[in-house]
Amino acid sequence: ILNVEQSPQSLHVQEGDSTNFTCSFPSSNFYALHWYRWETAKSPEALFVMTLNGDEKKKGRISATLNTKEGYSYLYIKGSQPEDSATYLCAPEETSGSRLTFGEGTQLTVNP
Amino acid sequence: DARVTQTPRHKVTEMGQEVTMRCQPILGHNTVFWYRQTMMQGLELLAYFRNRAPLDDSGMPKDRFSAEMPDATLATLKIQPSEPRDSAVYFCASGSWERPPQHFGDGTRLSIL
């Protein structure tokens, strides 16, 4: 089982603030890194899948970067809105189609 | 949009009863995953299948849990006998080996009294 660490564990920001969180994972045996957004009482929703070192993905105000050599990924949210409040999970994948190992997530609360 | 369908959405039953949770993966997906959400361990993988064959069920208590895929459109997770510590939200996710990511169902919220 991979050791996946996400930080911070929780984060409170004001509406309009930009923020970012970190996902650390073992750099060996890497195939892909997944980011999910998980709202309370709902199911996790896929945000990004990244495979290549230096990959950058963007979806609206949310973007992510990947460094496979050192084993980390950053998720950025620009101009946070209350609807961005959720837990953000990352999960590395060792080989194509294999299990994902989820981190414990960063719980983001955006105050209006 | 295609969705993973889980039934039932909620289940309350007494300790010792058998519980069966069902999952219909997205048509064409060839991997199916069962996860459990707990307070202590976040999202925990119980078992997963590729092309209906079980690949890893090491996260599942074997004495009471069983997971099967009788056909490509149905995955089941059974608990027998159930215990109060099994109370959790159980998620099914399906994916395609060729085209990630995994897509999650809405979960089954299980309460064992």
Side-chain angles (χ1 to χ4, degrees):
Chain A
I1 296 180
L2 301 179
N3 183 27
V4 182
E5 295 185 0
Q6 290 190 247
S7 63
Q9 191 173 14
S10 65
L11 193 55
H12 291 251
V13 301
Q14 289 298 124
E15 183 175 354
D17 287 350
S18 293
T19 187
N20 65 85
F21 357 110
T22 306
C23 170
S24 300
F25 54 88
S27 55
S28 57
N29 295 327
F30 174 86
Y31 174 75
L33 193 282
H34 298 244
W35 279 101
Y36 282 83
R37 179 173 178 276
W38 194 5
E39 287 183 72
T40 302
K42 294 189 177 180
S43 56
E45 172 194 348
L47 284 175
F48 304 116
V49 182
M50 296 183 287
T51 55
L52 300 176
N53 185 43
D55 248 357
E56 289 189 31
K57 294 276 175 104
K58 187 174 181 182
K59 193 181 214 178
R61 294 178 291 98
I62 304 177
S63 59
T65 61
L66 178 66
N67 182 320
T68 60
K69 293 185 178 179
E70 295 181 41
Y72 65 84
S73 175
Y74 293 135
L75 188 82
Y76 301 89
I77 303 179
K78 184 178 176 182
S80 303
Q81 300 296 308
E83 57 264 31
D84 296 330
S85 298
T87 295
Y88 291 83
L89 300 171
C90 72
E93 183 180 6
E94 288 183 272
T95 58
S96 176
S98 68
R99 59 180 292 162
L100 301 184
T101 302
F102 283 89
E104 293 189 3
T106 292
Q107 186 175 10
L108 174 68
T109 303
V110 182
N111 299 309
Chain B
D1 282 343
R3 294 180 59 83
V4 175
T5 303
Q6 287 187 248
T7 55
R9 291 294 308 278
H10 299 91
K11 176 77 176 178
V12 181
T13 192
E14 293 187 342
M15 183 171 102
Q17 297 297 304
E18 177 178 299
V19 173
T20 299
M21 291 169 273
R22 293 178 175 80
C23 169
Q24 181 177 353
I26 291 173
L27 189 64
H29 281 187
N30 53 17
T31 55
V32 174
F33 302 80
W34 282 105
Y35 294 94
R36 175 167 64 181
Q37 177 193 7
T38 64
M39 293 295 292
M40 298 300 293
Q41 297 191 353
L43 206 55
E44 173 190 20
L45 179 70
L46 297 175
Y48 82 101
F49 297 79
R50 183 185 297 166
N51 295 324
R52 295 177 55 203
L55 286 193
D56 185 351
D57 60 3
S58 58
M60 205 165 66
K62 304 278 193 317
D63 56 337
R64 298 182 301 107
F65 284 61
S66 62
E68 295 179 348
M69 274 201 81
D71 61 59
T73 64
L74 177 64
T76 62
L77 180 66
K78 288 187 182 178
I79 309 175
Q80 170 62 25
S82 58
E83 297 181 2
R85 60 182 165 145
D86 301 329
S87 299
V89 182
Y90 291 80
F91 287 101
C92 172
S94 72
S96 168
W97 178 39
E98 301 83 6
R99 287 194 311 275
Q102 295 178 21
H103 295 268
F104 281 75
D106 289 334
T108 293
R109 185 174 295 276
L110 178 64
S111 296
I112 308 295
L113 306 176

